[in-house]
């Protein structure tokens, strides 16, 4: 496969003890206010002529989160030490470590180090498995760059091959090897287990970033479907791609209407992974896949319209999560339905005033063609809950501008019809350090979505938009335990400082890969619950 010089490399990982960790860059996390070097690193300190401890004692590096210093060592197998602040010890979290690892990896790359040593486990005051996992995520996510369209790097390459779903890597990349430094044999298997899982999660998120960053002239519904085929090929995931005429035959008026104005016809991708054939429990993933959202006839202002290339981030996250789940061979059954369409204005486009019959039979009066995501999701949700019959379903969608106003760019909104399911999501989100916050599904919001000529209308106006959108979706879910994640603010960064400063493994610009890691943890959580409890969906239904 072709490679992209700017992307994260396929890193080799080795495990070593402190005395054997000979790497051109060596990362040491430093705590704020302690002004002291961890005695574990006193050999390195000696080799630096005491420079490391002096930098800390003098406060030249205060240990504030992300603050860093580089110290070069002469005549030593370690040629530079990178001291990175991780903040106060009592506020130290695995996410701070993930962020510091990202920072260290980028500094190492900038200084053209071929390898980086990084203490995990007790040497970093952390659990060896958790820190092995966070190290992989921090480094692999942190090294991500999307630059394949810079012409000097891609001039001779064939585009189709380059855009293969598997994340591109670079043979000539400077940083190619990571030494995970552990206290001894006892930590090795834990660190390895953590790293391997973290690598799968981060690679999947980087693949999703590639898909979301892909420009909309290339990322059209058919292209997404091809990528989904490639991504799932050797993983035991079944895939079915429905084309426009089949979508029409199925009566999926929502998907069809949104896609009508585009020369690039819609697709419906259905994915199936059976990791636990004995279990009766199946989890559903539904993702909004609008490959470009111009707003349609209710056209958006042009100022930020280009960012609507990211409007398929929900569908991409579902695909990435499924890929990671299959690679991890998690014992869980997943069905995923990804409706894909391009929302454009045209003589054939759907328009305000149209009445559309959805897959479920409900009719929808179109008030605003820019409220297109719910039209796709309505069909996909009723298909997955009523026809395919999953036991629980989670949907991810860049659904409303309102959620960005309400929660900002670092927190996604969650709507849930089941408190236990919601709690599981929050637990999964704690593992990924992705932030979610609950928003309500009160009946009032449903009232706002009642149609005058049809059963429903597709827009309830500006007030409470994320909530009315969720209330619309609820009409297509029935009794199935359901979570709706509105990731409009978190999926794509536009010169964002906050998200990056808090989480240096996120990009300042472009796709974040939000949702992938949380979905994998959620699926894992759920599979454990289902197996250890009663193998019944009642676990998710409130009594
Ligand atoms: N894709 C947009 C939502 C969005 C906004 C995503 C900003 C990412 C960043 C969605 O299709 C949309 O246009 N929503 C409208 C709905 C309204 C017309 C009811 C919105 O939120 O303004
Ligand atoms: Mn829209
Ligand atoms: Zn949209």
């Amino acid at each position: 496969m072709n490679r992209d010089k700017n992307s994260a490399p396929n890193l080799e990982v080795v495990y070593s003890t402190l005395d054997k960790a000979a790497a051109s860059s060596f990362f040491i996390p430093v705590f704020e206010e302690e002004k002291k070097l961890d005695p574990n690193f006193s050999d390195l300190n000696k080799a630096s002529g005491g420079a490391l401890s002096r930098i800390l004692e003098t406060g030249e590096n205060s240990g504030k989160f992300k603050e860093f210093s580089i110290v070069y060592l002469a005549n030593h197998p370690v040629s530079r030490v990178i001291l990175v602040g991780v903040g106060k010890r009592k506020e130290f979290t695995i996410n701070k470590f993930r962020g510091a690892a990202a920072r260290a990896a980028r500094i190492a790359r900038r200084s053209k180090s071929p390898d980086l040593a990084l203490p995990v486990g007790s040497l970093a005051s952390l659990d060896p498995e958790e820190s092995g996992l966070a190290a992989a995520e921090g480094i692999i996510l942190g090294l991500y760059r999307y630059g394949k369209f810079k012409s000097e790097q891609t001039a001779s390459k064939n585009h189709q091959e380059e855009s293969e779903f598997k994340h591109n890597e670079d043979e000539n990349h400077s940083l190619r090897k990571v030494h995970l430094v552990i206290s001894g044999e006892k930590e090795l298997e834990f660190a390895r287990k953590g790293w391997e899982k973290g690598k799968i999660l981060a690679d999947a998120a980087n693949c999703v970033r590639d898909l979301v960053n892909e420009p909309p002239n290339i990322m059209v519904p058919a292209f997404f479907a091809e990528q989904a085929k490639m991504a799932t090929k050797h993983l035991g995931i079944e895939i079915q791609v429905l084309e426009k005429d089949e979508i029409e035959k199925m009566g999926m008026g929502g998907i069809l209407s949104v896609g009508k104005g585009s020369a690039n016809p819609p697709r419906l991708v259905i994915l199936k992974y059976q990791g636990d054939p004995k279990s009766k429990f199946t989890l559903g993933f539904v993702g909004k896949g609008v490959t470009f959202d111009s707003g349609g006839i209710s056209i958006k202002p042009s100022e930020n319209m280009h960012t609507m290339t990211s409007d398929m981030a929900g569908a991409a996250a579902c695909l990435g999560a499924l890929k990671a789940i299959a690679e991890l061979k998690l014992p869980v059954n997943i069905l995923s339905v990804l409706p894909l369409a391009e929302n454009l204005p045209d003589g054939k486009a759907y328009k305000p005033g149209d009445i559309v019959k959805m897959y479920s039979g409900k009719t929808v009066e179109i008030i605003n063609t820019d409220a297109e995501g719910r039209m796709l999701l309505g069909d996909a949700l009723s298909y997955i809950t009523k026809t395919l019959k999953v036991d629980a379903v989670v949907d991810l969608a860049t659904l409303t501008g309102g959620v960005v106003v309400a929660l900002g760019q670092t927190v996604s909104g969650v709507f849930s019809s089941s408190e236990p399911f919601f709690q599981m999501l929050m637990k999964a989100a704690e593992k990924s350090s992705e932030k979610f916050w609950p928003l309500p599904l009160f009946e009032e919001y449903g009232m706002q979505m009642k149609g005058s000529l049809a059963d429903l209308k597709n827009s309830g106006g500006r007030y409470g938009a994320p909530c009315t959108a969720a209330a619309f979706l609820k009409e297509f879910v029935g009794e199935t335990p359901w979570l709706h994640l509105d990731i409009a603010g978190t999926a794509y960064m536009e010169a964002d400082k906050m998200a990056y400063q808090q989480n240096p493994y996120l990009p300042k610009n472009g796709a974040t890969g939000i949702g992938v890691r949380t979905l994998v943890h959620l699926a894992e959580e759920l599979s454990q619950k289902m197996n250890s409890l009663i193998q019944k969906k009642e676990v998710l239904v409130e009594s």
Side-chain angles (χ1 to χ4, degrees):
M1 65 169 275
N2 254 312
R3 287 146 199 268
D4 175 357
K5 288 205 168 68
N6 274 333
S7 300
N10 204 359
L11 289 166
E12 183 195 344
V13 61
V14 294
Y15 302 83
S16 52
T17 47
L18 259 178
D19 51 320
K20 300 207 179 69
S24 59
S25 286
F26 195 108
F27 160 66
I28 297 179
V30 299
F31 289 101
E32 193 177 341
E33 289 177 346
E34 298 192 355
K35 292 187 171 265
K36 266 211 307 279
L37 187 73
D38 185 327
N40 280 313
F41 307 114
S42 51
D43 281 354
L44 284 173
N45 190 35
K46 229 175 275 161
S48 76
L52 299 181
S53 53
R54 225 162 31 245
I55 285 176
L56 302 186
E57 279 155 21
T58 57
E60 184 178 325
N61 186 323
S62 71
K64 279 205 180 70
F65 186 53
K66 276 179 51 184
E67 200 171 299
F68 76 93
S69 321
I70 305 177
V71 176
Y72 292 85
L73 307 183
N75 310 316
H76 193 273
V78 170
S79 32
R80 62 180 77 61
V81 174
I82 306 173
L83 299 161
V84 182
V86 293
K88 299 191 176 93
R89 194 181 286 270
K90 64 174 189 297
E91 288 161 16
F92 188 49
T93 58
I94 200 76
N95 197 41
K96 294 260 171 67
F97 179 74
R98 193 188 276 118
R103 196 103 174 96
R106 278 207 292 263
I107 295 165
R109 172 168 68 187
R110 203 183 305 143
S111 49
K112 305 213 181 332
S113 292
D115 51 4
L116 169 70
L118 179 111
V120 294
S122 49
L123 291 176
S125 315
L126 292 166
D127 172 82
E129 186 173 339
E130 263 181 53
S131 52
L133 192 151
E137 289 182 330
I139 293 170
I140 296 167
L141 293 171
L143 290 175
Y144 178 86
R145 280 191 289 194
Y146 186 74
K148 69 185 200 183
F149 288 102
K150 300 276 188 186
S151 55
E152 72 273 21
Q153 289 157 357
T154 55
S156 64
K157 288 182 183 170
N158 168 303
H159 185 81
Q160 187 69 28
E161 271 174 35
E162 250 183 84
S163 303
E164 214 175 305
F165 185 83
K166 187 165 182 305
H167 189 73
N168 297 323
E169 15 178 286
D170 175 17
E171 276 163 315
N172 307 315
H173 205 286
S174 59
L175 186 61
R176 304 175 63 178
K177 191 169 175 179
V178 171
H179 300 250
L180 289 189
V181 186
I182 45 179
S183 66
E185 274 299 307
K186 260 199 271 171
E187 291 192 334
L188 192 124
E189 281 320 306
F190 294 103
R192 187 197 304 281
K193 211 173 147 202
W195 174 275
E196 280 168 6
K197 184 168 177 183
K199 176 172 172 18
I200 287 175
L201 292 171
D203 281 341
N206 280 347
C207 287
V208 170
R209 289 171 172 186
D210 274 353
L211 286 178
V212 176
N213 284 328
E214 193 81 40
N217 53 330
I218 292 157
M219 178 52 72
V220 296
F223 184 83
F224 187 108
E226 278 312 306
Q227 299 296 303
K229 279 186 188 163
M230 278 196 254
T232 51
K233 219 185 305 184
H234 304 294
L235 290 172
I237 298 172
E238 279 173 47
I239 177 166
Q240 200 186 347
V241 176
L242 304 188
E243 303 204 351
K244 186 178 164 221
D245 51 336
E246 294 159 289
I247 297 171
E248 207 161 353
K249 263 188 234 140
M250 307 251 297
M252 295 184 161
I255 301 172
L256 272 177
S257 299
V258 175
K260 265 166 65 180
S262 170
N264 303 301
R267 292 284 187 277
L268 185 69
V269 174
I270 303 158
L271 299 152
K272 184 176 179 181
Y273 168 71
Q274 291 273 84
D276 188 4
K278 286 196 303 290
S279 161
K280 287 199 187 71
F281 187 89
T282 300
L283 173 63
F285 289 165
V286 169
K288 171 175 172 181
V290 174
T291 59
F292 186 72
D293 181 14
S294 70
I297 297 293
S298 316
I299 198 160
K300 287 181 183 294
S302 50
E303 198 181 343
N304 282 317
M305 200 198 275
H306 63 282
T307 65
M308 284 301 118
T309 180
S310 64
D311 214 19
M312 33 57 77
C318 294
L319 177 60
L322 204 60
K323 174 181 151 77
I325 287 167
E327 283 171 354
L328 291 166
K329 300 191 170 64
L330 292 186
V332 55
N333 303 323
I334 316 259
L335 271 170
S336 183
V337 174
L338 311 176
L340 307 164
E342 187 176 47
N343 189 20
L344 291 181
D346 181 75
K348 295 200 185 76
Y350 84 134
K351 52 199 172 292
D354 282 1
I355 292 181
V356 174
K357 189 164 178 201
M358 303 288 281
Y359 176 70
S360 72
K362 285 189 176 152
T363 53
V364 179
E365 194 179 332
I366 305 304
I367 302 297
N368 190 323
T369 62
D370 199 10
E372 84 298 338
R374 61 199 75 182
M375 300 299 290
L376 299 185
L377 293 171
D379 279 348
L381 284 167
S382 48
Y383 182 63
I384 203 167
T385 55
K386 303 207 177 73
T387 308
L388 302 180
K389 294 191 172 48
V390 291
D391 300 290
V393 63
V394 42
D395 80 68
L396 278 86
T398 46
L399 201 62
T400 65
V403 86
V404 198
V405 175
L407 300 177
Q409 290 201 272
T410 56
V411 182
S412 306
V414 198
F415 296 85
S416 92
S417 68
S418 152
E419 182 62 23
F421 199 12
F422 169 73
Q423 290 303 338
M424 268 185 215
L425 174 83
M426 293 310 268
K427 221 170 143 187
E430 208 164 293
K431 290 189 185 154
S432 65
S433 310
E434 293 182 336
K435 291 199 170 82
F436 293 87
W437 201 253
L439 291 169
L441 274 174
F442 296 127
E443 275 176 22
E444 284 87 335
Y445 299 119
M447 304 295 295
Q448 243 168 287
M449 301 308 289
K450 296 267 181 262
S452 45
L453 302 170
D455 301 331
L456 296 165
K457 56 185 179 188
N458 82 329
S459 169
R462 267 193 324 133
Y463 295 163
C467 308
T468 53
F472 180 94
L473 298 183
K474 188 166 179 255
E475 295 291 324
F476 299 91
V477 177
E479 296 304 307
T480 310
W482 163 62
L483 295 173
H484 159 54
L485 313 183
D486 194 336
I487 57 170
T490 51
Y492 196 82
M493 294 301 143
E494 219 9 43
D496 179 80
K497 293 264 163 55
M498 271 260 284
Y500 168 77
Q501 272 167 10
Q502 285 297 114
N503 307 293
Y505 50 86
L506 290 179
K508 287 180 202 152
N509 279 297
T512 58
I514 188 84
V516 178
R517 294 181 299 118
T518 301
L519 277 186
V520 177
H521 292 305
L522 177 68
E524 193 172 25
E525 191 79 28
L526 210 47
S527 74
Q528 282 161 5
K529 264 268 174 11
M530 290 307 138
N531 294 332
S532 66
L533 287 167
I534 38 178
Q535 288 252 353
K536 272 191 187 162
K537 62 185 171 191
E538 275 73 40
V539 177
L540 297 178
V541 181
E542 289 167 85
S543 46

